[in-house]
Amino acid sequence: MLRALVPRLLSSVAVFLLIAIGLFALVRLAPGDPIEMMVPPELAGAQRDAYLASVRERFGLDQPIVVQFWRWLGGLLTGDLGYSYTNGRPVGDLLADRLGPTALLMGSALTIGLIVAVPAGVIAAVRRNTIADYTISSVSVIAIAVPSFFLGMLAIYTFAVRMQVLPSSGMHSPGRDDLGDLLLHMIMPVGLLALANAANFIRYVRSGVLEELNKDYVRTIIAKGGTRARALRHALRNSLMSLVTVLAMTIPIALSGAVVLEQIFSWPGMGQLAIDALGQRDYPVLIGFGLYIAVLVLICNLIADLSYTIIDPRVRTAR
C-alpha cells in the first residue's frame, strides 16, 4: 500500500499547485475592484485617490501581478493564505472558524444519507420491478430533480412559518447554546442535504447490487446450498467499489449543496463565508475557499483509491 501511496501523494501535490495557480489567475481576472468598495462615501476627488493608493499599497495590490503571485505563492507554501480585505483577519482563521459548522452539516447529512441509501438500494435491487423498486426509484429521481433551494424555501414555509415547529435559521436560538437547540436547528438543513445524498447513493447501490447478483459466483453459492442472504452479503460487499467512488465524488459536490442551504438557513459555515466574500470581492477569502475544496477533492480521491485495496483483494494483488 505504501508503494502505491507515494506516487499518489506526489501527483496530488502537483495537481494542488496547478489548481492554486489557476485559482489565483481566475480570481484576479474577475471584473470589479475590491478596493473601490472600501472607500468611505464621504471621500471624493484627491482624498479618494489618496485613500485608494494607500489601501492598495497596504495590501500589495500596487505591485505587478507577477510580484503579487510570487508573494502569495511563497505564503501559501508556508501555510499563509493572506488576510481578508474586509476585516483584516487571516484567511486561515476565518476558514477555521467556519469549518466546524460546515463539517457538522455535511458529515451528518452524508452519514444519514448512507444509512438510508444502502438498505433502500438493496431492497430496490432484490425486489426489482416491484412496487417497492418503483417507489424507491421514483422518490430518488424526484429528490435529485427538485433544486435544493426550492425544497429549502418550501420547508421553511411549511415547518417554520405555517406550522411553527422548527426554527428557520442559524445554529442556535438567541440566548441558547445547548445540544437540544442545536439538533432542532439541524433538522431542516441536514434533512434536505441527506435526502439529496441518499437519492444519489440509492441509484448506485441498486445498480451495483443488481450487477453482482447476476454474476456466476452468486449462482454458485446458492447451488452449493448457501442461503440468499449469504449470497446477498457477498454481492453487497463487491458492489461497494462503485459506492466508494461515488462517495468520494459526492463529498465535494455536497459542499455546493451545503453552500446553498447555508445561505437559505443562515447556517454560519464556509459556504456563507464564500458567498459574502464573493459579493465583497474579497480575493484572499475566495482563493482560500477554492483551495479548501481542492484539498477536499484530492483527499477524497486518495482515500477512495486506497479503500479499493481494502474492499477488493484483487486490486491489492494487481498492484
Side-chain angles (χ1 to χ4, degrees):
M1 184 178 294
L2 183 61
R3 186 182 303 174
L5 179 62
V6 174
R8 291 284 299 176
L9 285 175
L10 293 177
S11 63
S12 297
V13 171
V15 171
F16 175 77
L17 290 177
L18 290 175
I19 292 174
I21 295 171
L23 281 173
F24 183 89
L26 288 174
V27 170
R28 292 306 175 96
L29 290 174
D33 186 355
I35 307 303
E36 292 280 353
M37 304 179 64
M38 301 169 60
V39 180
E42 64 272 11
L43 295 183
Q47 288 183 327
R48 186 176 187 277
D49 294 339
Y51 180 85
L52 286 172
S54 65
V55 174
R56 284 197 171 91
E57 182 180 0
R58 188 174 70 204
F59 288 115
L61 297 178
D62 58 332
Q63 300 293 325
I65 189 68
V66 176
V67 176
Q68 295 180 40
F69 170 73
W70 284 113
R71 286 182 175 177
W72 173 81
L73 184 61
L76 176 64
L77 295 177
T78 60
D80 182 10
L81 296 175
Y83 292 84
S84 170
Y85 291 163
T86 56
N87 55 30
R89 290 187 60 195
V91 174
D93 292 348
L94 288 173
L95 294 174
D97 292 343
R98 302 296 187 99
L99 178 61
T102 296
L104 177 63
L105 179 63
M106 289 180 56
S108 302
L110 284 171
T111 302
I112 295 174
L114 283 172
I115 292 174
V116 172
V118 172
V122 171
I123 291 173
V126 173
R127 301 185 179 181
R128 182 183 181 184
N129 297 330
T130 63
I131 294 178
D133 181 23
Y134 293 144
T135 302
I136 293 173
S137 299
S138 299
V139 171
S140 63
V141 169
I142 293 173
I144 294 172
V146 180
S148 58
F149 71 88
F150 176 78
L151 291 177
M153 292 186 293
L154 182 62
I156 290 175
Y157 176 75
T158 303
F159 298 106
V161 177
R162 298 287 296 181
M163 300 177 64
Q164 297 184 358
V165 294
L166 293 175
S168 62
S169 61
M171 290 182 64
H172 291 285
S173 301
R176 294 187 59 182
D177 59 355
D178 55 282
L179 179 61
D181 185 57
L182 173 62
L183 294 176
L184 200 63
H185 282 77
M186 289 174 61
I187 291 177
M188 283 198 289
V190 170
L192 292 175
L193 196 56
L195 176 63
N197 293 332
N200 189 36
F201 294 149
I202 284 173
R203 297 183 304 155
Y204 290 95
V205 173
R206 178 184 181 276
S207 61
V209 173
L210 276 177
E211 182 181 356
E212 294 298 324
L213 288 176
N214 291 324
K215 290 185 176 179
D216 292 337
Y217 74 88
V218 173
R219 288 189 286 267
T220 302
I221 292 175
I222 297 176
K224 289 185 176 181
T227 62
R228 289 186 60 85
R230 180 185 175 189
L232 182 60
R233 284 198 301 269
H234 284 278
L236 179 60
R237 176 184 174 86
N238 293 333
S239 68
L240 289 179
M241 290 281 286
S242 60
L243 182 59
V244 168
T245 303
V246 173
L247 181 60
M249 295 186 298
T250 300
I251 291 177
I253 295 174
L255 183 59
S256 62
V259 169
V260 175
L261 291 178
E262 283 180 5
Q263 281 295 107
I264 294 175
F265 292 100
S266 298
W267 190 265
M270 297 182 68
Q272 192 176 52
L273 176 67
I275 296 296
D276 294 340
L278 182 63
Q280 298 164 347
R281 296 183 178 89
D282 198 339
Y283 293 158
V285 175
L286 287 175
I287 295 174
F289 179 73
L291 291 176
Y292 164 80
I293 296 178
V295 170
L296 186 61
V297 171
L298 293 173
I299 291 177
C300 289
N301 287 337
L302 182 62
I303 293 176
D305 190 55
L306 295 177
S307 299
Y308 296 154
T309 62
I310 300 175
I311 296 173
D312 194 341
R314 294 171 296 180
V315 176
R316 183 167 57 248
T317 304
R319 293 181 177 181

